[in-house]
């Protein structure tokens, strides 16, 4: 075991950090059920049509599962994550998120790091923590807890720095550490590596696989990069531009995976073929028909 | 040879001192005193000189009026600004966050901003006479709308993406208000509160002038009635020095602290 009892991280024999049981939720797993979720954004000006972002999305995920939502820009992937997180509400349908019937904790890694620029890294981490108790030393315990996760993403020495003093990749790692630090039952990730350079993104993907492997969290990962989805996921949900799930594809490949694995490459090709088929069908469908179908959904 | 070198050294030290930031500050102060002296000697009739002004304030001190009246006004201004801070932030942030609050307060705030303190001061004397209430209420009425408008603009500047992040993480509302809302608004609040200090001070002193038996404003009126401009100006200087001291010793350090992250943020260049 690489974790000491007080929660401090110890490096393994190869210099790799291990989270171990420290942020497992005691085997308690979340269940996410989305039933026929529809989301329509009202038009902001007169004469403008309402925008149908999601159109009957249904799926279930529970426990230690990594699900990727893949689709073209504007297909409602991020809207779905916002609905799961409670930032947005559904127009129709429902999203149930529970762990043992109670409320599941949610961690959210956004496209941009979304750190409070006037707070240090440590303060940013503490900002999202549940209120600490009044007993003596509870605040220090919370700091120790947060330090553990900063160490985990290799940023233990940056706790007193401001986000503006960190590179984009480091800020995103703080975002990941912040999400993990609340020991989430569900981890939402909205294109977390899309703003990073290829080398940093590749390193963080590997790191994410390792970190997630040590948790019980259900991950909902939004991306439009098929390779990224194949590399990380147990299941890929392909979404089309009308905001529906076009295909539900399980990925049964051994972990850890690398971009150059033969099976990863061939699975990626299969998914891309389905993706291209979906795009073709979408282009053939007249724009007017799609709008009518969507507004019909809204009217119902 | 040695004497020449040391005189060159000392003259360059004097030059450095004169051209330093502190030197520029003291040059401006001395110049202001000089201009005041010249104006009082040669240009403006009945403008007391710096020496005459100081002399009368020393007399005020000796007969016990200086400290007593300063403390009375400070207490009133302190109470006024504490109330303004709470009301201004609450009204302004409510206006920025909730549409009904915006429509409720918008006209009220703009009417209050446009009403001169002079009117409130006269009304307060009619309503409350020579009590503490008048100066404080007038100060609050004059300064609160200024802070509310600034807080309103600040509340609109709270980054929506950080708000969404806070909601996603179920950050308690109190913590969100303290660490995100208030902090995003802080530069607006700061600018607004600086003007509030001037407006609040002005409101309190104006009411003391019209209808009170204590305070800096009352003493100014007292000397005005006595046709003594030395006393009037002396008390005016007390007011100016107070505002400068608040700015220098309270606002400047606070602003430096508030902006520490910006300085820190500029260090990263990679």
């Amino acid at each position: 075991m690489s974790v000491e009892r007080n929660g401090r991280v110890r490096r393994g024999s190869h210099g790799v950090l291990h989270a171990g049981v420290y942020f497992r939720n005691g085997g308690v797993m979340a269940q996410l059920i989305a039933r026929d979720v529809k989301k329509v954004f009202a038009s902001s000006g007169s004469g403008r049509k309402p925008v149908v972002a999601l159109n009957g999305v249904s799926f279930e995920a529970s426990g230690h599962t990594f699900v990727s939502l893949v689709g073209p820009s504007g297909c409602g992937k991020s809207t779905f994550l916002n609905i799961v997180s409670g930032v947005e509400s559904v127009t129709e349908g429902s999203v149930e998120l529970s762990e043992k019937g109670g409320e599941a904790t949610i961690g959210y890694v956004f496209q941009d790091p979304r750190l409070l620029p006037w707070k240090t890294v440590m303060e940013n981490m503490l900002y999202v923590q549940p209120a600490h108790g009044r007993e003596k030393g509870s605040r220090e315990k919370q700091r120790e807890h947060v330090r553990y996760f900063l160490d985990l993403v290799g940023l233990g020495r940056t706790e007193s720095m401001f986000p503006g003093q960190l590179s984009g990749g480091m800020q995103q790692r703080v975002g990941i550490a912040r999400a993990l630090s609340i020991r989430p039952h569900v981890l939402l990730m909205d294109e977390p590596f899309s703003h990073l350079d290829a080398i940093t993104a590749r390193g963080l993907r590997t790191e994410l696989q390792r970190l997630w492997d040590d948790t019980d969290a259900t991950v909902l990962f939004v991306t439009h990069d098929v390779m990224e989805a194949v590399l990380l996921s147990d299941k890929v949900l392909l979404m089309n531009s009308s905001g529906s799930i076009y295909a539900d594809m399980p990925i049964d490949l051994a972990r850890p995976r690398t971009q150059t694995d033969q099976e990863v490459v061939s699975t990626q090709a299969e998914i891309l073929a389905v993706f291209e088929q979906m795009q073709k069908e979408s282009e053939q469908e007249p724009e007017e028909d799609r709008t009518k179908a969507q507004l019909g959904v809204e009217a119902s | 040879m040695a004497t020449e070198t040391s005189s060159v050294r000392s003259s360059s030290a004097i030059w450095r001192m004169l051209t330093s930031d502190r030197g520029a500050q003291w040059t401006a102060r001395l110049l202001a005193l000089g201009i005041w002296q010249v104006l009082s000697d040669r240009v403006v009739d009945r403008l007391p000189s710096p020496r005459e002004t100081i002399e009368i304030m020393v007399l005020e001190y000796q007969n016990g009026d200086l400290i007593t009246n300063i403390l009375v006004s400070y207490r009133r201004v302190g109470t006024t600004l504490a109330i303004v801070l709470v009301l201004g932030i609450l009204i302004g942030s409510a206006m920025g966050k909730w549409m009904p609050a915006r429509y409720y307060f918008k006209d009220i705030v703009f009417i209050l901003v446009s009403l001169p303190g002079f009117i409130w001061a006269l009304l307060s004397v009619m309503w409350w006479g020579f009590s503490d209430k008048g100066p404080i209420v007038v100060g609050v009425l004059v300064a609160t709308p200024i802070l509310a408008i600034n807080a309103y603009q600040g509340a609109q500047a709270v980054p929506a993406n950080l708000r969404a992040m806070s909601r996603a993480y179920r950050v308690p509302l109190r913590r969100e208000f303290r660490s995100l809302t208030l902090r995003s608004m802080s530069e607006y609040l700061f600018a607004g509160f600086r003007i509030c200090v001037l407006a609040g001070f002005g409101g309190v002193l104006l009411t003391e002038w019209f209808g009170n038996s204590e305070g800096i404003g009352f003493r100014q009126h007292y000397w005005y009635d006595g046709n003594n401009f030395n006393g009037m100006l002396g008390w005016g200087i007390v007011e100016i020095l107070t505002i400068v001291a608040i700015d220098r010793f309270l606002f400047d350090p606070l602003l430096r602290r508030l902006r520490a992250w910006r300085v820190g943020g500029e260090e990263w260049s990679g």
Side-chain angles (χ1 to χ4, degrees), chain B residues 128-143:
Chain B
W128 295 296
F130 279 38
S131 73
D132 252 2
K133 214 184 270 177
I136 292 172
V137 171
V138 172
V140 169
L141 284 170
V142 169

Side-chain angles (χ1 to χ4, degrees), chain A residues 117-118 162, chain B residues 21-22 25 183 186-187 190-191 194 244-267:
Chain A
W118 46 81
F162 291 103
Chain B
D21 294 351
R22 199 165 283 261
Q25 206 170 30
R183 198 60 182 70
S186 61
E187 303 250 338
F190 215 86
R194 263 188 158 150
V244 169
I246 292 173
D247 216 63
R248 181 68 45 83
F249 300 114
L250 181 70
F251 287 155
D252 279 355
L254 257 174
L255 198 61
R256 268 199 298 277
R257 221 180 132 184
L258 274 175
R259 289 181 175 165
W261 67 273
R262 286 190 199 274
V263 178
E266 283 164 10
E267 283 174 19

